[in-house]
Amino acid sequence: MSLSLQAGGAASRALPAQSTHADALTASNQATTRPITTGTSVLGIKYRDGVMLAADTLCSYGSLAKYKNARRLLGVNSNTLIGASGEYSDLQSVSDLLKANALEDRCTADSLYDEDNNEECAGEVWSYLRAVMYQRRSKMNPLWNDVVVAGFRQETDGRTSDSPFLGVVDKIGTAYEDDVLATGFGGYIALPLMREKFRPDMEEGEARALLEDCLRILFYRDCRALNRVQIAKVTKEGGVLVSDPYELDTYWDFKGFVLNKGELGTDGGW
């Protein structure tokens, strides 16, 4: 610390500079450098009548399973559904942004009747999120999420299309569509199973059973997964429906789970 010479010639230590309110605001306004409280995989699949998403309800604080009722499947409007993995607080920010846009659409609509309102379709929400994610990434302050968007496209005359929509946007703005999607660890384990079993004419029960099987396998294999899950769907007639959380039945007596793999004469692997 520097020395100063006070009146009378006495040497003393200079006082440190006083911090101002602006300095405090600047110090607190910093970019998130890594996700802290995170959710894992989100699965999505098209079926004959619409689109279905699935996710568990666990948020992990590092390796600690901290929040077991964090719902990550959210309805944006009457015909669009999103689900996200990654930082949960950023998902809340994305949800608030999309709901504010939906409210603005309703407030500025030409008609007060719900059937006449021209809401954003799933394709428009997906394109908007792609721009938001890329803009935040370009400012070196990304939203740490992979967001799956499900719903239906809109025809040029405003009618809802018959073809379902399923797309994903990651934290740097990369976006694509597919018939089956998975984020997080599900992209390595669940996605190959979903591609193998997928059919365009799948019934709702078949799609739900497939998603539940994939979530169950992720619970066995992913240390950040839970068997408490949610299922959500979007149909043209019924709109958005998100289930309450429920627990999957599990089975732990598989031979590979029971045998001791660390003994002599074994490879120690699965």
Side-chain angles (χ1 to χ4, degrees), residues 105 111 116 121 148 177 194 211 259:
D105 288 341
S111 173
D116 294 332
C121 69
V148 178
E177 306 172 46
M194 295 166 65
L211 292 180
L259 293 180

Side-chain angles (χ1 to χ4, degrees), residues 32 34-39 59-60 84-93 143-146:
T32 302
R34 61 188 178 90
I36 302 298
T37 306
T38 59
C59 268
S60 301
S85 58
E87 173 62 44
Y88 193 72
S89 63
D90 285 348
L91 170 59
Q92 292 173 319
S93 178
L143 293 166
W144 293 81
N145 296 116
D146 292 344

Side-chain angles (χ1 to χ4, degrees), residues 10 17 71 79-80 98 100 127 137 145 155 171 176 192 203 260:
R71 306 186 181 198
N79 55 26
T80 304
L98 294 178
S127 296
R137 162 262 182 110
N145 296 116
E155 302 288 359
K171 67 179 183 296
Y176 59 93
E203 298 287 344
N260 188 345

Side-chain angles (χ1 to χ4, degrees), residues 171-248:
K171 67 179 183 296
I172 62 173
T174 304
Y176 59 93
E177 306 172 46
D178 206 343
D179 295 327
V180 291
L181 290 174
T183 66
F185 204 55
Y188 301 98
I189 291 183
L191 193 56
L193 302 175
M194 295 166 65
R195 285 172 174 163
E196 180 182 357
K197 301 293 185 180
F198 171 76
R199 299 192 327 273
D201 61 343
M202 291 180 73
E203 298 287 344
E204 180 180 325
E206 293 177 295
R208 178 169 184 152
L210 176 57
L211 292 180
E212 287 183 344
D213 286 342
C214 291
L215 289 173
R216 188 177 291 110
I217 292 171
L218 286 170
F219 178 55
Y220 293 149
R221 300 296 186 183
D222 184 358
C223 296
R224 305 292 179 264
L226 191 66
N227 66 329
R228 181 178 170 85
V229 303
Q230 277 186 291
I231 300 287
K233 67 176 182 178
V234 189
T235 58
K236 187 175 180 180
E237 294 78 15
V240 172
L241 180 62
V242 183
S243 75
D244 290 328
Y246 63 96
E247 292 191 4
L248 296 175

Side-chain angles (χ1 to χ4, degrees), residues 49-62:
D49 299 325
V51 193
M52 190 174 293
L53 300 185
D56 64 26
T57 60
L58 178 65
C59 268
S60 301
Y61 183 78

